[in-house]
Amino acid sequence: MEDGIFFWGPVTSKEWCEPNYVQSSYIAEFFNTISNIPCILLAIIGLVNALRQRFEKRFSVLHMSNIILALGSMTYHATLRQMQQQGDETPMVWEMLLYIYILYSPDWHYRSTMPTFLFLYGALFAIVHSQLRFGIGFKVHYALLCLLCAPRAYKYYIHTEDTLAKRLAKLYVATLLIGAACWLCDRLFCKQIQGWYVNPQGHAVWHVLMGFNSYFANTFLMYCRAQQREWNPKIKHLFGFFPYVKIEKPKTQ
């Protein structure tokens, strides 16, 4: 950066509470960019497990959507350009549509209608969002999609007896609440934070927690689905820390 000229050009997107181009001349918000790496690594762990044990393809797609979302977030925070911001927000909506499908499809009698509707909805949103800036409208829309998932997720939780599986759901809620608090503090108290000696990088912490949040959610849903299919699921831990689902399919499957 020389004389106020940024590597990626002028900022055209929403900015967060991290000074631009301080840590690197090539990355606008350095910590907000690299904080997406844990999400990618965790999604790869989940994807490998889903493929290795031959879970339904929906879970492989879900883990890949986490990776795409994290990459979109990285490009957005690295450039602070409007197009890249849309490339971050659109996958967020697509991912929630995937969660809606995974949560509700087991009890949906007309198998083709739900994925067709969700696909068309996601495509229409991407087209409209590429032309319009929604601002607060995007946040409201995203929150409504999240709320649609809540009743079915709670139903899965109360019908789950395994202690380790229920712990995944609790970790999901905990990371969501702590991450949301970090997001809000970074957004609402930015002026005060910029006067501190050390910036706690609340938005970057949100990214890290959301990486674990998605991983816990995906693993819990894989467990619930394996229970529905009578695959005798058990929660194991990789390296003694990262939970994953171990299944035993009947020989006929």
Side-chain angles (χ1 to χ4, degrees), residues 135-155:
I136 188 65
F138 171 80
K139 296 180 180 65
V140 173
H141 175 243
Y142 185 75
L144 289 174
L145 292 177
C146 293
L147 289 174
L148 281 174
C149 295
R152 183 50 63 99
Y154 180 69
K155 179 182 177 181

Side-chain angles (χ1 to χ4, degrees), residues 33-51:
T33 299
I34 66 169
S35 56
N36 286 283
I37 294 175
C39 181
I40 295 174
L41 297 177
L42 289 168
I44 291 174
I45 292 174
L47 177 61
V48 169
N49 185 45
L51 292 172

Side-chain angles (χ1 to χ4, degrees), residues 147-216:
L147 289 174
L148 281 174
C149 295
R152 183 50 63 99
Y154 180 69
K155 179 182 177 181
Y156 281 8
Y157 174 79
I158 62 176
H159 284 90
T160 299
E161 297 181 357
D162 186 87
T163 303
L164 293 177
K166 291 178 82 78
R167 184 182 297 172
L168 288 173
K170 293 176 182 177
L171 287 170
Y172 165 80
V173 174
T175 51
L176 178 62
L177 293 177
I178 297 172
C182 293
W183 188 94
L184 284 171
C185 289
D186 185 84
R187 197 71 191 153
L188 298 177
F189 305 111
C190 183
K191 290 184 179 180
Q192 294 89 328
I193 290 173
Q194 287 180 338
W196 295 0
Y197 182 73
V198 176
N199 185 333
Q201 304 297 341
H203 196 75
V205 175
W206 151 265
H207 283 161
V208 174
L209 289 174
M210 287 304 98
F212 279 96
N213 178 267
S214 297
Y215 182 77
F216 293 142

Side-chain angles (χ1 to χ4, degrees), residues 6 38 54 59 66 96 109 172 183 203 231-232 238 241:
F6 299 113
R54 297 183 180 179
F59 292 105
N66 294 152
M96 291 313 304
H109 298 294
Y172 165 80
W183 188 94
H203 196 75
W231 288 345
N232 191 27
L238 180 66
F241 181 77

Side-chain angles (χ1 to χ4, degrees), residues 47-200:
L47 177 61
V48 169
N49 185 45
L51 292 172
R52 183 173 60 85
Q53 299 195 80
R54 297 183 180 179
F55 271 86
E56 293 162 305
K57 291 180 181 179
R58 65 189 70 180
F59 292 105
S60 298
V61 175
L62 183 60
H63 289 300
M64 287 189 288
S65 77
N66 294 152
I67 296 173
I68 292 170
L69 177 56
L71 292 173
S73 180
M74 291 181 77
T75 57
Y76 160 40
H77 288 288
T79 63
L80 290 180
R81 303 286 293 177
Q82 176 61 25
M83 181 180 295
Q84 280 68 31
Q85 181 179 341
Q86 292 171 332
D88 172 38
E89 293 175 345
T90 298
M92 289 173 64
V93 171
W94 289 348
E95 185 179 66
M96 291 313 304
L97 296 177
L98 271 171
Y99 279 120
I100 291 172
Y101 172 71
I102 289 173
L103 284 164
Y104 286 97
S105 62
D107 295 330
W108 195 262
H109 298 294
Y110 305 99
R111 291 191 175 183
S112 63
T113 55
M114 178 180 284
T116 301
F117 171 77
L118 294 176
F119 175 81
L120 293 175
Y121 186 92
L124 178 62
F125 174 83
I127 294 170
V128 175
H129 191 40
S130 68
Q131 303 300 316
L132 300 174
R133 292 193 183 191
F134 289 122
I136 188 65
F138 171 80
K139 296 180 180 65
V140 173
H141 175 243
Y142 185 75
L144 289 174
L145 292 177
C146 293
L147 289 174
L148 281 174
C149 295
R152 183 50 63 99
Y154 180 69
K155 179 182 177 181
Y156 281 8
Y157 174 79
I158 62 176
H159 284 90
T160 299
E161 297 181 357
D162 186 87
T163 303
L164 293 177
K166 291 178 82 78
R167 184 182 297 172
L168 288 173
K170 293 176 182 177
L171 287 170
Y172 165 80
V173 174
T175 51
L176 178 62
L177 293 177
I178 297 172
C182 293
W183 188 94
L184 284 171
C185 289
D186 185 84
R187 197 71 191 153
L188 298 177
F189 305 111
C190 183
K191 290 184 179 180
Q192 294 89 328
I193 290 173
Q194 287 180 338
W196 295 0
Y197 182 73
V198 176
N199 185 333

Side-chain angles (χ1 to χ4, degrees), residues 6-47:
F6 299 113
F7 180 79
W8 296 104
V11 173
T12 58
S13 69
K14 181 192 302 179
E15 296 181 85
W16 298 88
C17 198
E18 179 181 354
N20 299 340
Y21 295 98
V22 172
Q23 305 297 328
S24 171
S25 300
Y26 306 101
I27 302 175
E29 294 179 341
F30 181 80
F31 294 109
N32 286 346
T33 299
I34 66 169
S35 56
N36 286 283
I37 294 175
C39 181
I40 295 174
L41 297 177
L42 289 168
I44 291 174
I45 292 174
L47 177 61

